[in-house]
Amino acid sequence: MEIRLLIADDHPIFLKGLKEVIEMDADLKVIVSAKNGQEALLSFQSHSVDVVVLDIDMPRMTGLEAAEKMLHIQPDLPIIILTMHKEKAPFLKALEIGVLGYVLKENAVSDIVHAIYKAKDGELYLSPEISAYLLKKTSALQRQSKNDLKALLTPSETHIMKMISEYKSSKEIADELFISEKTVSNHRMNIAKKLNLTGKNSLLRFALEQRWG
Amino acid sequence: MEIRLLIADDHPIFLKGLKEVIEMDADLKVIVSAKNGQEALLSFQSHSVDVVVLDIDMPRMTGLEAAEKMLHIQPDLPIIILTMHKEKAPFLKALEIGVLGYVLKENAVSDIVHAIYKAKDGELYLSPEISAYLLKKTSALQRQSKNDLKALLTPSETHIMKMISEYKSSKEIADELFISEKTVSNHRMNIAKKLNLTGKNSLLRFALEQRWG
DNA sequence: TGAAATATGAGCACTACTACCTATGGAAAT
DNA sequence: ATTTCCATAGGTAGTAGTGCTCATATTTCA
């Protein structure tokens, strides 16, 4: 049975190579090749395909954005994300969107066909070495940088930072710790200075982005 | 070669069953059994183990909290999470923490040993049916609930909500959309009313928690 | 012991978001 | 054609966080 594919990548040579690798499997047929997310989304709406393969880094619209929009239109669409980077954020984002495959480009030749068949059956596929490496590595790195930050702040400041990340107001923090709001305010200011943060909600923002909780 | 395990679950019968299932494999040896996360963490600090298996729902300290603390002490520790629930949040949280295995209890008998060997080698293992099912299902559900919210809000309100989730201030939003700050303020108030939100930063908080961006 | 870091507290000006009100013009619905 | 919804905008008040300065007690450490 033939599987019809839409593929997208902004590098023409890679795109051509990808098409050839995929079509070495007799049952896989690349119906559309797009060179950015926007084009992929438009093509998707005018062609009937079984599986979509998207690069993340593309001009006009990233693969993740395109994936999100496609799944909005057709929630059970099997989508596979290709990427060069071993970063954690796009990986988690991809899972969150509801993508069925996440494959690193360096391993793509062997993994991509496997991922396509898995995705076609509604199963999840992540290139194993890659995802494991990525998860362990980056969570360790993240812990490291969090430790660095905690070393920069005093114990009280760290404590208050944690409470900020729990959406507590200065008044609530002051009441819980039996100290004056003024003291909390001073701590906030000292933290902001140490971390070079300015502007409204900058502390809350930082606390949330660094997953302080 | 023998693999030494720490396992934790708050149901004694399940804990006993789990130990027996694991030890049917001659190379796997359960060194410690704990009945909650706190006990698991303490035991972990006083015993040398190769792989840790934790239930999520436990009194005193959840499996995820215990996992986070253990990985803080030993970042390369292979940890497998067991759970009954097919919810998405704890799954993503587990990946974020840096756990190597995520296994549903209903499939545990066959999957758990597989997961242990994978984790021991530093590889990721997710029970396939489960994770695929969970990802597709819940991301579709989440899209649904997001659509419900978007249906509740007018286009302008949705747009402003998105900009709020990008940490933009009312002034910035007003400038970008060429409207008055007052208008933005009114939209914010209307959104807050529709969503029953009150208090400082409630809109930002909601936008971030619902992953509006 | 003396200096530096930390935790505590206050005053004051400024800005931003919340919360409530009114009002007008246009678009959609009945 | 009239009502209802929406986007627009102004007024006024309150509350909370920021940005700054100053002061004092305690702790730490060199």
Side-chain angles (χ1 to χ4, degrees):
Chain A
M1 171 220 45
E2 191 180 88
I3 299 179
R4 297 153 60 85
L5 293 139
L6 185 162
I7 66 177
D9 194 292
D10 57 330
H11 296 93
I13 298 174
F14 185 90
L15 189 62
K16 186 166 153 50
L18 180 62
K19 180 170 151 70
E20 281 171 15
V21 166
I22 289 174
E23 293 191 335
M24 280 180 62
D25 186 303
D27 288 336
L28 304 183
K29 183 92 188 140
V30 174
I31 302 292
V32 197
S33 298
K35 61 179 180 295
N36 60 59
Q38 204 173 64
E39 203 179 299
L41 182 59
L42 286 173
S43 302
F44 165 71
Q45 288 172 298
S46 58
H47 295 73
S48 158
V49 298
D50 302 311
V51 178
V52 173
V53 179
L54 300 171
D55 180 35
I56 289 191
D57 301 298
M58 292 189 292
R60 285 177 177 274
M61 189 187 290
T62 70
L64 290 178
E65 288 167 340
E68 196 158 23
K69 290 189 203 304
M70 289 179 191
L71 286 170
H72 188 77
I73 297 165
Q74 186 187 326
D76 63 342
L77 178 71
I79 297 184
I80 293 161
I81 295 292
L82 273 180
T83 183
M84 291 192 313
H85 310 299
K86 294 185 179 180
E87 286 154 35
K88 189 170 151 194
F91 172 65
L92 291 175
K93 181 72 180 169
L95 289 182
E96 202 182 304
I97 288 171
V99 144
L100 284 182
Y102 198 85
V103 179
L104 270 196
K105 281 191 178 178
E106 44 190 275
N107 296 56
V109 177
S110 56
D111 284 2
I112 188 67
V113 173
H114 193 190
I116 290 170
Y117 277 103
K118 278 275 201 175
K120 168 69 179 156
D121 294 339
E123 288 179 52
L124 185 70
Y125 183 80
L126 314 173
S127 337
E129 316 89 325
I130 303 147
S131 53
Y133 167 84
L134 174 152
L135 283 169
K136 267 212 305 191
K137 194 90 169 192
T138 57
S139 56
L141 278 177
Q142 193 169 310
R143 269 192 290 282
Q144 186 51 46
S145 70
K146 196 193 266 184
N147 287 343
D148 290 349
L149 290 174
K150 285 194 176 167
L152 198 62
L153 301 184
T154 67
S156 302
E157 287 165 357
T158 304
H159 193 182
I160 286 177
M161 206 54 188
K162 177 165 172 53
M163 296 176 82
I164 290 173
S165 80
E166 290 160 359
Y167 295 102
K168 287 178 176 146
S169 68
S170 288
K171 172 154 179 43
E172 288 171 317
I173 294 172
D175 289 350
E176 264 189 62
L177 301 183
F178 302 105
I179 57 178
S180 155
E181 282 185 58
K182 277 307 191 180
T183 304
V184 177
S185 167
N186 285 329
H187 281 309
R188 293 186 84 122
M189 197 185 57
N190 289 329
I191 295 168
K193 274 191 181 160
K194 283 186 185 174
L195 302 178
N196 288 318
L197 302 173
T198 57
K200 210 77 173 176
N201 291 325
S202 56
L203 282 183
L204 176 60
R205 177 174 177 167
F206 183 85
L208 293 176
E209 282 177 357
Q210 299 302 313
R211 300 167 194 278
W212 207 275
Chain B
M1 168 222 39
E2 189 181 89
I3 299 179
R4 298 153 60 86
L5 293 138
L6 184 161
I7 66 178
D9 193 293
D10 56 331
H11 297 93
I13 298 175
F14 186 90
L15 190 62
K16 186 168 154 48
L18 180 63
K19 180 171 153 68
E20 281 171 14
V21 166
I22 289 174
E23 293 192 333
M24 280 179 61
D25 186 302
D27 288 336
L28 303 184
K29 183 91 189 142
V30 174
I31 302 291
V32 198
S33 299
K35 60 179 180 296
N36 60 57
Q38 204 174 64
E39 201 179 301
L41 182 58
L42 286 172
S43 301
F44 164 71
Q45 289 171 296
S46 57
H47 295 75
S48 157
V49 297
D50 302 310
V51 178
V52 173
V53 179
L54 300 170
D55 180 35
I56 288 191
D57 302 298
M58 293 189 290
R60 286 176 175 272
M61 188 187 288
T62 72
L64 290 178
E65 289 168 337
E68 195 159 23
K69 290 189 202 305
M70 288 178 190
L71 286 170
H72 188 77
I73 296 165
Q74 187 186 326
D76 63 343
L77 179 71
I79 297 185
I80 293 160
I81 295 291
L82 274 179
T83 183
M84 290 191 312
H85 311 298
K86 293 185 178 179
E87 288 153 34
K88 190 170 149 193
F91 171 65
L92 290 177
K93 180 72 183 169
L95 288 183
E96 200 181 306
I97 289 171
V99 144
L100 285 182
Y102 198 85
V103 179
L104 271 197
K105 280 190 179 180
E106 43 189 276
N107 295 58
V109 175
S110 57
D111 284 3
I112 187 68
V113 173
H114 193 190
I116 290 170
Y117 278 102
K118 278 274 202 175
K120 167 68 180 155
D121 294 339
E123 289 180 49
L124 183 70
Y125 182 80
L126 315 172
S127 337
E129 315 89 326
I130 304 150
S131 53
Y133 167 85
L134 173 154
L135 283 170
K136 266 213 305 190
K137 195 90 169 191
T138 58
S139 58
L141 279 176
Q142 189 169 309
R143 268 193 291 283
Q144 187 52 45
S145 71
K146 198 193 263 184
N147 287 343
D148 290 350
L149 290 174
K150 285 195 176 167
L152 198 61
L153 301 184
T154 67
S156 302
E157 287 165 357
T158 305
H159 192 182
I160 286 177
M161 206 56 186
K162 176 163 172 54
M163 296 176 81
I164 290 173
S165 81
E166 290 160 0
Y167 295 102
K168 287 178 175 146
S169 69
S170 288
K171 171 150 179 46
E172 289 171 318
I173 294 172
D175 289 348
E176 263 188 63
L177 302 182
F178 302 105
I179 57 179
S180 156
E181 283 186 56
K182 277 311 201 175
T183 305
V184 177
S185 166
N186 283 330
H187 281 308
R188 294 185 82 122
M189 198 184 56
N190 289 329
I191 296 168
K193 273 189 183 163
K194 284 185 185 173
L195 302 177
N196 288 318
L197 302 175
T198 57
K200 210 79 175 175
N201 291 325
S202 56
L203 281 184
L204 177 60
R205 179 175 176 165
F206 183 85
L208 293 176
E209 284 177 357
Q210 299 301 313
R211 298 166 191 280
W212 207 275

